[in-house]
Amino acid sequence: MILVIDLGSSSTRAMLYDEPVGAVPAAMAREPFAFAVAEDGRCEDDAGAAFARVLKVLDALHDAAGQRRLGDITHLAISAYASSLVGLNEAGNPITPVYTYADTRCADDARNLRAQCDEMDALRRTGCRIRANYLPARIAWLRRTQPDAFAQTRWFASLSDFVMLRLFGRMRAGISIASWTGLLNRATSDWDATWIETLGISKMQLPPLSPSGQGQGVGDLLPEWQSRWPLFKGVACQPPVGDGAAANIGSGCVDPSRIAVTIGSTAAMRVVSAHGADPASVMNPALWSYRVDHDHDLIGGATTEGGNVMAWARSMLRVPDAGALEAAIALMRPDAHGLTVLPTFAGERSPGYAEDIRATLHGLSLDTSPVEITRALMEGIAMRLATICDALRESGVAARDVVLAASGGALQASPAWCQIIADAAGMPLAVADVPEATSRGAALLAIDAWRLNDSLRVDLHALIYQPNPQHHSIYRAAMARQQELYAKLVRSDR
């Protein structure tokens, strides 16, 4: 049995997987939550509350495992939303909130760093641009706005580092989570010396990195947790992995023949490739390059928009119920509404990284309907993903005969949206029949099974959406309008 803790952006979950890495029925606990947000760009969590959620789901899962008399639980895997920051003091206690990837208050600091540093050099070194969703800008912001907290910070840690510290009494940052910070040097697989000097911090203030190779666990649970959860005593825990990397592995996208398309609250397209196999890919400014492990890169782009935009539409527009809305959207012709949409409600990550831009809906008339607006939003997101897909193909990181592999509840619930994405990208899209791709991927990575047993790959051929060439041409023209609107709105100094 493999115990998985998923530190998600909308819930904290714990679940069990068995051989051959299938979810154990009724062995899952979930604790939903919401980040604290504000108009100033704040998007944060409370570290103590986050760890309390971990305890709650582990309590519930331990009870369920005990009642069902399941087999031995031998491994613990942790997946987490990446690019978070929490300042810890010498005792390991939080002295700041958990600042998330979506917190944009450090946008000015990112801009100042771009004025001081060569952003493309930073991209080559770290795989990340100098933007508000990475730690260099956030650490600079903390130093500028909260000098006392900055001075008291012993560890600049991620949420998963903090959880590991509380559970095991030590931190061991995995290279996957570390790569999402923007502080990891791609060539050395160590913390980047240039950023450390620029930010005025010490390497000793960053969590120790896990070395390469299996068996590099983090030790045993602290005695209080072994007493509390005797069924989890002695589990072998590997360092946490980023949720995007885990989702790729869990949905069967383990090589350049498949591009993972995930739409949860946000959206992303990602490809797994051998580390360093194509260094030119990180030269494309639309893409980032993170890590799955020491031997594999995760190259792609992510947007701030996805299911969150659809939730906004359901909340703010008078749309029909889910079934009727899906049917109405499926009957509409591509781009027939006459609208041009930038769905960047929370600023932009990939492909242009304009943190300050906001959503724009252009072309409204007195007879524009809520369903037409909703379809336009779905198409707008699909076109943003198609732009990232173009960059992946142009970089050469994706194979020639590549297929899009979709996962995430938003796509599994909407065949119409799947077809829109296939048409916009001009590529076949297959839906991976994996309800929990992220946690499954974390389990596979924990036992190193994803590259040892090809039979564990997900069959993507049960349901494939083929692109319609005529629709593809329509969307390419719409993408040109979207890009023209973007160019008029984006700040010139980004």
Side-chain angles (χ1 to χ4, degrees):
M1 292 285 175
I2 306 160
L3 167 62
V4 177
I5 302 172
D6 181 21
L7 305 174
S9 57
S10 60
S11 68
T12 300
R13 293 178 292 178
M15 56 212 80
L16 288 177
Y17 282 80
D18 61 8
E19 298 294 345
V21 194
V24 177
M28 186 185 81
R30 177 176 180 269
E31 189 66 19
F33 73 99
F35 292 138
V37 298
E39 287 294 324
D40 62 355
R42 180 188 318 266
C43 186
E44 61 188 32
D45 194 10
D46 177 86
F51 187 67
R53 294 192 298 268
V54 171
L55 297 183
K56 190 169 183 178
V57 296
L58 288 179
D59 283 340
L61 192 68
H62 187 271
D63 289 346
Q67 292 170 7
R68 298 190 59 187
R69 297 182 180 180
L70 299 173
D72 291 340
I73 300 169
T74 58
H75 291 77
L76 170 61
I78 298 177
S79 63
Y81 70 85
S83 197
S84 61
L85 174 67
V86 55
L88 307 178
N89 63 16
E90 189 69 42
N93 296 319
I95 56 177
T96 73
V98 179
Y99 303 114
T100 76
Y101 59 89
D103 195 308
T104 60
R105 286 175 290 177
C106 60
D108 286 342
D109 300 272
R111 194 172 295 112
N112 292 337
L113 286 173
R114 291 197 296 275
Q116 301 170 31
C117 308
D118 183 338
E119 186 175 26
M120 291 303 101
D121 181 60
L123 179 62
R124 286 188 291 269
R125 293 195 327 268
T126 69
C128 304
R129 292 176 62 173
I130 306 174
R131 299 289 150 166
N133 45 305
Y134 297 120
L135 265 58
R138 189 151 294 119
I139 290 173
W141 171 80
L142 185 66
R143 182 172 192 166
R144 176 175 63 86
T145 62
Q146 302 175 60
D148 290 342
F150 179 87
Q152 296 172 35
T153 297
R154 169 63 182 86
W155 299 102
F156 293 102
S158 70
L159 173 61
S160 58
D161 295 325
F162 173 66
V163 169
M164 294 294 287
L165 182 64
R166 286 292 174 92
L167 289 177
F168 294 91
R170 62 184 298 197
M171 283 187 286
R172 180 66 66 78
I175 197 167
S176 175
I177 290 288
S179 68
W180 254 272
T181 66
L183 291 171
L184 185 77
N185 187 286
R186 284 175 48 81
T188 65
S189 297
D190 200 355
W191 297 116
D192 185 68
T194 301
W195 271 130
I196 288 172
E197 181 179 0
T198 301
L199 297 171
I201 61 175
S202 165
K203 180 180 176 180
M204 300 302 293
Q205 290 179 280
L206 298 172
L209 290 166
S210 175
S212 177
Q214 286 303 108
Q216 304 293 343
V218 295
D220 296 327
L221 289 166
L222 290 172
E224 64 178 301
W225 309 127
Q226 294 187 40
S227 298
R228 183 165 174 166
W229 309 309
L231 295 179
F232 303 158
K233 183 178 180 180
V235 292
C237 181
Q238 296 297 316
V241 298
D243 54 0
N248 258 65
I249 303 306
S251 60
C253 299
V254 299
D255 59 44
S257 69
R258 297 177 179 181
I259 299 176
V261 185
T262 304
I263 298 185
S265 297
T266 57
M269 279 192 167
R270 305 172 300 260
V271 173
V272 171
S273 66
H275 175 57
D278 185 17
S281 63
V282 297
M283 296 294 293
N284 190 319
L287 304 175
W288 35 247
S289 181
Y290 304 146
R291 302 287 281 277
V292 178
D293 55 21
H294 282 268
D295 301 321
H296 296 84
D297 291 335
L298 185 74
I299 301 173
T303 69
T304 59
E305 59 271 8
N308 54 359
V309 172
M310 300 310 298
W312 176 87
R314 288 189 295 271
S315 173
M316 304 302 293
L317 305 175
R318 295 180 179 178
V319 296
D321 62 53
L325 178 63
E326 172 71 13
I329 286 173
L331 289 173
M332 294 178 65
R333 296 283 297 169
D335 197 35
H337 40 68
L339 302 173
T340 302
V341 175
L342 279 175
T344 48
F345 283 72
E348 183 194 23
R349 285 189 276 171
S350 303
Y353 295 89
E355 294 109 332
D356 297 330
I357 199 170
R358 288 297 179 266
T360 301
L361 182 61
H362 179 72
L364 287 168
S365 64
L366 290 174
D367 64 347
T368 301
S369 72
V371 173
E372 288 177 317
I373 295 173
T374 304
R375 167 97 187 197
L377 290 168
M378 296 170 76
E379 290 179 342
I381 294 169
M383 288 186 283
R384 306 278 296 167
L385 289 171
T387 303
I388 297 171
C389 186
D390 289 347
L392 284 168
R393 298 170 80 178
E394 291 165 5
S395 72
V397 69
R400 177 172 297 180
D401 298 324
V402 70
V403 64
L404 302 178
S407 63
L411 291 182
Q412 291 172 335
S414 179
W417 207 355
C418 290
Q419 187 63 57
I420 290 170
I421 293 172
D423 289 342
M427 296 172 58
L429 181 146
V431 178
D433 187 19
V434 181
E436 296 287 347
T438 299
S439 57
R440 180 178 186 270
L444 284 165
L445 286 163
I447 60 173
D448 206 29
W450 66 283
R451 49 183 165 177
L452 298 181
N453 189 344
D454 193 62
S455 67
L456 295 175
R457 286 169 59 98
V458 178
D459 183 6
L460 299 179
H461 302 292
L463 180 60
I464 295 183
Y465 297 85
Q466 294 292 344
N468 181 308
Q470 183 180 7
H471 294 177
H472 179 62
S473 296
I474 293 171
Y475 282 131
R476 287 290 144 166
M479 286 172 65
R481 293 201 322 269
Q482 187 186 60
Q483 183 58 33
E484 183 180 1
L485 178 61
Y486 175 88
K488 291 178 178 178
L489 295 176
V490 72
R491 293 177 61 121
S492 61
D493 62 347
R494 68 186 180 89

